[in-house]
Amino acid sequence: MTDIKRRSPMVFPQEAKQVEKQGHWAVVMEYASEGEGPWIIDLSHRPRWDLQDSDLSRFKPFEIDIPGKPGQCRLENNVLANRMNRTQVSLWQLTGDRLETPEDTAFTSTMDVTVCLAILGQAVFSIAEKLSSLDFRDPALSTPRLFQGPFAHVPCQMVIAGQPDGMPGMLLTCSRGYARDMVAAILHAGHEFKLQPAGQLAFDKWVAGLA
Amino acid sequence: MALTLTCPVCGKRNGYEFRYGGEDKGPKPDDFGSSPETWCDYVHMNRCVAGIQKEWWCHRDGCGVWFTTHRDTLKNLEME
């Protein structure tokens, strides 16, 4: 039997301290030097789906009530559901054991066609405003919140979330082919804020604080 | 002045995020019973209004929704 290897489109030059095999992915859990943040974290190995149907009310994916309005998000059962428009929802499994793709043909796995990353830390908005004209800090909007638009000139889905009185973060997906340039642009913009790659442990800790 | 358009989902955005979908020509002709001339006119003939025109746009770089809006073609500005 051939052993499948899946590779993240994101590569960081930093030395990995702990690597774990998850499914067919080699996932960096921690880097040797992660600093105090802000951090950029590769989440490309986390399962993601697109759910599209003319009547979304008949679905309850992974026991989650789909948010009613475009832009709204809901984090339940380790899965983040982001309402994109009248007919589409993106579903990102952030933590926990891998969920299988539901049988219904309305679901499409997007894990292999998109890159997913997180930017965590107090400087996330300072970094983001160098790369996008979107207003991520609109006080009229509650978090978690989905934004759809250009980030570093690339069409992206971005979710702004944050721990209560804690560390804000941005989750971002875009087409897989942009990964290398996207990472280069974010690291360049975050250089003055000491942006460093971090492993999945840092992300898991941040997600745990969202509840 | 750069064109901005108001997406019904995402709000006011830079015009470069959108794809133009042509004039709004109303409902398409009946699938059956319409003459080739009627179809040809519907598909190819445009009014090319010099002024305020109802148009289709797609928020290509954003939520992907198709919508209609009114644009002044002389000023290249969306009508409020």
Side-chain angles (χ1 to χ4, degrees):
Chain A
M1 178 70 87
T2 305
D3 185 31
I4 300 168
K5 284 185 181 173
R6 306 179 100 164
R7 295 179 192 277
S8 169
M10 293 171 61
V11 178
F12 297 121
Q14 279 75 1
E15 182 191 351
K17 183 178 175 186
Q18 183 188 347
V19 179
E20 186 178 294
K21 192 155 188 188
Q22 294 181 13
H24 299 286
W25 302 78
V27 179
V28 177
M29 303 301 287
E30 189 178 0
Y31 284 91
S33 172
E34 295 189 345
E36 297 298 312
W39 295 300
I40 179 171
I41 302 171
D42 181 8
L43 300 174
S44 298
H45 58 283
R46 299 308 307 172
R48 296 180 295 285
W49 301 271
D50 179 87
L51 166 59
Q52 181 165 12
D53 194 86
S54 58
D55 180 17
L56 286 175
S57 64
R58 72 185 181 93
F59 291 93
K60 198 172 180 185
F62 310 113
E63 301 303 312
I64 303 173
D65 291 320
I66 294 173
K69 293 181 179 173
Q72 291 179 338
C73 306
R74 182 165 289 139
L75 177 59
E76 279 179 23
N77 306 331
N78 300 329
V79 176
L80 185 64
N82 314 307
R83 184 67 180 258
M84 298 161 61
N85 51 42
R86 187 180 63 83
T87 59
Q88 278 180 290
V89 184
S90 60
L91 301 158
W92 304 345
Q93 189 193 350
L94 303 183
T95 56
D97 293 335
R98 285 169 185 278
L99 297 167
E100 293 298 318
T101 302
E103 293 271 327
D104 197 296
T105 54
F107 290 86
T108 304
S109 173
T110 55
M111 187 171 66
D112 291 323
V113 295
T114 56
V115 59
C116 183
L117 60 88
I119 308 169
L120 308 181
Q122 299 299 336
V124 62
F125 297 112
S126 302
I127 297 168
E129 75 174 10
K130 293 173 74 175
L131 296 167
S132 177
S133 61
L134 299 176
D135 185 4
F136 296 112
R137 303 190 82 172
D138 186 342
L141 303 176
S142 59
T143 58
R145 183 80 189 179
L146 172 70
F147 293 82
Q148 299 171 94
F151 191 88
H153 304 287
V154 174
C156 295
Q157 286 183 30
M158 294 146 284
V159 172
I160 298 296
Q163 300 163 335
D165 302 322
M167 186 187 291
M170 171 190 282
L171 309 176
L172 180 150
T173 68
C174 66
S175 289
R176 181 184 168 99
Y178 290 112
R180 205 164 143 179
D181 294 330
M182 180 62 78
V183 168
I186 294 171
L187 286 174
H188 181 72
H191 181 71
E192 63 175 302
F193 304 103
K194 297 184 170 58
L195 180 69
Q196 292 257 42
Q200 194 190 291
L201 290 176
F203 180 74
D204 289 346
K205 191 175 169 188
W206 179 75
V207 171
L210 288 180
Chain B
M1 180 132 186
L3 173 66
T4 58
L5 291 168
T6 308
C7 169
V9 172
C10 304
K12 204 177 185 74
R13 292 288 188 88
N14 190 320
Y16 287 108
E17 294 181 25
F18 296 85
R19 175 196 162 181
Y20 182 56
E23 296 176 6
D24 179 33
K25 302 176 183 177
K28 70 182 177 69
D30 287 337
D31 289 339
F32 302 101
S34 295
S35 66
E37 289 76 17
T38 304
W39 274 110
C40 186
D41 286 353
Y42 178 75
V43 173
H44 298 294
M45 301 305 286
N46 294 298
R47 293 173 60 223
C48 299
V49 172
I52 296 168
Q53 173 172 271
K54 191 178 182 187
E55 301 170 334
W56 281 98
W57 288 86
C58 172
H59 195 190
R60 181 193 57 197
D61 289 358
C63 61
V65 76
W66 280 93
F67 62 98
T68 57
T69 188
H70 290 85
R71 181 176 65 98
D72 187 335
T73 60
L74 296 176
K75 299 174 183 169
N76 195 29
L77 291 175
E78 184 184 31
M79 305 309 294
E80 296 295 334

